[in-house]
Amino acid sequence: MRAVRDLARRGAKLVHLSTNYVFDGTRPRADGGYGEDDAPAPRSIYALTKLAGEHAALAYGDGALVVRGSGLYGHFGSASKGGNFVERMSARARESGALKMVADQVLQPTFTRDLAAGLVDAVARDTSGLVHLTASGSCSWHEFTVAFLELQGIDATVEPVATTLAHGQPDRPLNGVLQRPRADALGLPPLRDWRAALGEYLNSR
Ligand SMILES: NC(=O)c1ccc[n+]([C@@H]2O[C@H](COP(=O)([O-])OP(=O)(O)OC[C@H]3O[C@@H](n4cnc5c(N)ncnc54)[C@H](OP(=O)(O)O)[C@@H]3O)[C@@H](O)[C@H]2O)c1
């Protein structure tokens, strides 16, 4: 906590990137997503530790900004997962011609370039506290996968399947959609629709 306090003392702003997984995702999709004021209910160690990080940042980082994102993909991929979801699934579809993808988990796939621009903008406006910054619109992992395979002209079948919880796998929220009443009230511009961002990502690789 001392390191967090030192940041503020040196005039630096702490930005903690958090996740939509802090919610349990049990809200029906038709009822919309979770806003900044909704109570988190993490269902995995990952989500629990991210939520603890949020509390630490807000408690000890003077003027800290906590930003919850969702379904990130970008040019540099995720180090821990070995590349981003779009590239991993595209390669698998090219190889096997068939994929199974969960159709009951909804999210807002977000291009990291858009999130980065949103973060820089929020900091430039000296935003503090908790905000949700995700792509506009929402889709299931199945819809997302069909979209990026189609946009690349990859001919593969994508079988929609229901979520099953394998032993040792984190419990992911079914409704992972975030609303952003606080971000809107603060005047932060919305991120563009996930399909438009996906098209630009694929064209800019
Ligand atoms: N991926 C998603 O869909 C998603 C969704 C919502 C929120 N988020 C949040 O976004 C952030 C990035 O996610 P990611 O999926 O890109 O994770 P990631 O692939 O695991 O990347 C984490 C990055 O943080 C660096 N890092 C980890 N521990 C560090 C430490 N102690 N000191 C300095 N650097 C450290 C890693 O550096 P090295 O490569 O050198 O190890 C790596 O570059 C995370 O905070 C995650 O919770 C991700």
Side-chain angles (χ1 to χ4, degrees):
M1 297 313 150
R2 189 191 296 161
V4 175
R5 284 202 196 99
D6 280 351
L7 275 177
R9 220 172 284 143
R10 289 161 193 259
K13 190 175 185 71
L14 175 66
V15 179
H16 174 69
L17 189 54
S18 191
T19 171
N20 56 336
Y21 283 16
V22 297
F23 296 109
D24 64 12
T26 54
R27 183 176 290 176
R29 186 177 181 178
D31 292 352
Y34 294 84
E36 292 97 343
D37 288 342
D38 280 311
R43 288 168 62 152
S44 66
I45 296 296
Y46 166 69
L48 193 63
T49 56
K50 294 300 293 184
L51 183 61
E54 292 185 7
H55 287 302
L58 295 175
Y60 299 106
D62 194 17
L65 173 63
V66 172
V67 174
R68 292 191 186 131
S70 151
L72 304 182
Y73 65 91
H75 291 117
F76 297 99
S78 168
S80 58
K81 295 172 196 157
N84 76 43
F85 180 82
V86 176
E87 302 303 337
R88 286 200 315 275
M89 292 307 139
S90 297
R92 204 179 287 179
R94 277 194 196 93
E95 279 165 23
S96 67
L99 293 177
K100 290 182 181 180
M101 196 52 62
V102 287
D104 54 358
Q105 282 180 39
V106 283
L107 74 154
Q108 292 150 304
T110 302
F111 185 14
T112 48
R113 182 183 284 176
D114 290 0
L115 177 60
L119 286 174
V120 169
D121 182 57
V123 170
R125 294 165 189 257
D126 201 22
T127 310
S128 58
L130 171 66
V131 291
H132 289 173
L133 286 187
T134 55
S136 302
S138 66
C139 60
S140 68
W141 286 104
H142 178 266
E143 291 166 313
F144 182 44
T145 304
V146 168
F148 64 70
L149 294 182
E150 275 180 7
L151 283 168
Q152 296 173 93
I154 299 173
D155 186 21
T157 57
V158 189
E159 183 187 340
V161 294
T163 298
T164 52
L165 202 58
H167 182 69
Q169 276 191 346
D171 190 352
R172 298 196 165 90
L174 294 182
N175 182 350
V177 177
L178 298 181
Q179 290 170 341
R180 37 168 291 159
R182 181 163 191 267
D184 286 336
L186 291 170
L188 300 182
L191 273 52
R192 65 184 151 169
D193 185 79
W194 68 269
R195 277 185 193 274
L198 177 63
E200 186 186 304
Y201 165 74
L202 293 171
N203 288 329
S204 62
R205 283 177 301 174

